[in-house]
Amino acid sequence: MEMLTALGFGRIGAWEIGPQGLRLHLERMGDDAPALYAFVVAGAVMYIGKTTRPLRRRLYGYLRPGETQRTNVRVRGLILDAFQDGKAVETLGFSDKREQRLATFRLNLPAALEDDLIKQLSPPWNGGKADRTANPEPEDRLAIDNSPASAPVQSLGQAPTLTHSDQKQPAFTVRIGRTYHDQGFFNVPVKHAGN
C-alpha cells in the first residue's frame, strides 16, 4: 500500500454491508476519469483496476454485475468473502487530469501505470497473468451499451501474423470499444506488450 500512496493514491471510500447487501460509500473522486482504483484489505493491496469512465460508474459495476462481467462477479464475491472473514475493504483512487501527449497521441497515465503496478505488487484478486490477458474485463462494454444503437463498436479484426527470420510472432485482435475509440486510448494485452 505504501507504493500506491507514494504515487498519489488516496482513500476515496469503503465497501459496506448493510440491510440491502453490499454498498459502496464513495467519499470523493466519483467523477474522475481516467482513473486507477485499488481495493485494500487489512493494509494489503488485493486488486488494482482502471477506468476511462467516471470512477463512480466503474466501481458501482461491482454492486450488480451482469452475467458476462466475469471480473466484476468474481471480485464482488471476494469483497463479500472479506466481510465474512470480518475484514473491511477500503478503496483507494488515483487520477491525473493533466493533458499528456506523445506526438499526436494522447497518453493515459492511469492506464500506463496499471500493468506495471499489477506486475510489481501481484494483487491476489487480479488473478494470474494468464487470467488477466485471456479474460480481460470488457470495461468499455457498459459505455457502449449506454450509447445510441447507431454507435457501433469499431473492430480492426484479426491482426496478421508477422514474421521475422522465418519465426512467427504472436498475433492478437484489437477490439476498441466506443470510449477508447473516441478518446484515443487503448492498451495492448500484457502478454503482447513485450518486456
Side-chain angles (χ1 to χ4, degrees):
M1 190 160 122
E2 292 169 7
M3 181 185 287
L4 297 185
T5 55
L7 282 173
F9 276 76
R11 186 179 193 279
I12 61 171
W15 294 93
E16 303 170 345
I17 295 285
Q20 279 76 36
L22 187 63
R23 285 188 37 205
L24 174 62
H25 177 67
L26 195 57
E27 300 161 1
R28 61 188 190 92
M29 289 183 60
D31 295 324
D32 285 16
L36 280 173
Y37 57 95
F39 300 150
V40 177
V41 177
V45 177
M46 303 304 287
Y47 185 81
I48 295 174
K50 72 172 180 287
T51 184
T52 59
R53 297 179 287 140
L55 190 55
R56 175 185 336 276
R57 286 186 60 205
R58 176 65 188 107
L59 293 175
Y60 286 143
Y62 293 101
L63 292 174
R64 289 174 200 82
E67 293 175 9
T68 61
Q69 297 171 314
R70 291 178 293 210
T71 298
N72 287 5
V73 170
R74 182 178 56 79
V75 172
R76 181 183 194 281
L78 293 166
I79 292 169
L80 292 171
D81 289 348
F83 278 108
Q84 283 189 331
D85 292 342
K87 298 175 182 171
V89 181
E90 184 178 20
T91 304
L92 306 180
F94 171 85
S95 178
D96 187 341
K97 296 180 182 181
R98 295 175 293 173
E99 178 74 12
Q100 299 180 44
R101 292 192 174 268
L102 179 61
T104 60
F105 298 97
R106 290 174 46 197
L107 301 178
N108 178 341
L109 183 59
L113 285 171
E114 183 199 31
D115 285 343
D116 206 42
L117 283 171
I118 291 171
K119 184 177 180 180
Q120 288 189 38
L121 297 176
S122 298
W125 293 1
N126 280 89
K129 184 175 178 181
D131 182 49
R132 285 195 306 275
T133 56
N135 298 310
E137 175 62 30
E139 186 251 317
D140 217 37
R141 181 185 323 211
L142 292 177
I144 295 166
D145 290 345
N146 292 326
S147 301
S150 62
V153 172
Q154 301 293 318
S155 179
L156 300 179
Q158 182 67 33
T161 300
L162 305 175
T163 59
H164 177 68
S165 302
D166 295 324
Q167 292 181 341
K168 291 192 181 219
Q169 300 296 314
F172 58 93
T173 300
V174 177
R175 181 177 167 94
I176 301 173
R178 183 166 178 77
T179 299
Y180 286 113
H181 180 265
D182 291 351
Q183 294 183 11
F185 298 134
F186 68 95
N187 290 339
V188 174
V190 173
K191 71 180 180 180
H192 297 295
N195 294 336

